[in-house]
Amino acid sequence: MDVLINVFVALHIIGIAALLGGFLTQMKAMGEGTARFTPGMLHGALTMLVTGVALVGLNQADGQPVNNLKVGVKLAVLVVVLALVYVKRDEEAVDKRAFGAVGTLTVVNILIATLWT
């Protein structure tokens, strides 16, 4: 079970990297007002959602404690990110505030995952 959990953790990190990497590559365009949400950002957010839910289930099945409040907060933040990226994915240029919010919320999600013990 530990190997399976570690595989899903790795996939979860790949999802975070896709979302945050897509944001960081568009930073210059954001300054120019031409930033857009890339398909990789959407797929990264969806990967985070699927693997995160799977990780909660696998950890509970393995008898490990799960902090449901932490999971709930991370899920709420991710749902906001996913909604923003999904709704505005076809726009040629995304508003700076919406684009910045996705980057900020992604970093907040990373901080919650690593600092909330």
Side-chain angles (χ1 to χ4, degrees):
M1 185 71 99
D2 289 337
V3 172
L4 188 60
I5 290 173
N6 288 334
V7 167
F8 275 94
V9 168
L11 291 172
H12 195 68
I13 292 170
I14 289 169
I16 293 168
L19 180 58
L20 189 60
F23 172 78
L24 293 174
T25 59
Q26 294 281 317
M27 288 289 292
K28 184 176 180 183
M30 185 177 83
E32 298 168 356
T34 60
R36 58 185 314 227
F37 292 126
T38 63
M41 294 174 73
L42 177 62
H43 296 138
L46 287 171
T47 300
M48 288 174 61
L49 178 65
V50 170
T51 58
V53 170
L55 281 168
V56 170
L58 288 170
N59 281 312
Q60 286 181 340
D62 197 28
Q64 297 178 21
V66 176
N67 186 341
N68 290 320
L69 180 60
K70 177 181 174 179
V71 170
V73 170
K74 284 181 55 59
L75 179 62
V77 171
L78 181 58
V79 166
V80 172
V81 168
L82 192 53
L84 282 169
V85 173
Y86 186 78
V87 169
K88 299 196 177 278
R89 72 188 184 281
D90 292 331
E91 292 184 11
E92 285 298 318
V94 178
D95 181 52
K96 288 181 183 181
R97 292 173 295 182
F99 196 79
V102 167
T104 302
L105 290 173
T106 301
V107 171
V108 165
N109 224 352
I110 293 168
L111 293 174
I112 290 170
T114 56
L115 298 178
W116 187 339
T117 56

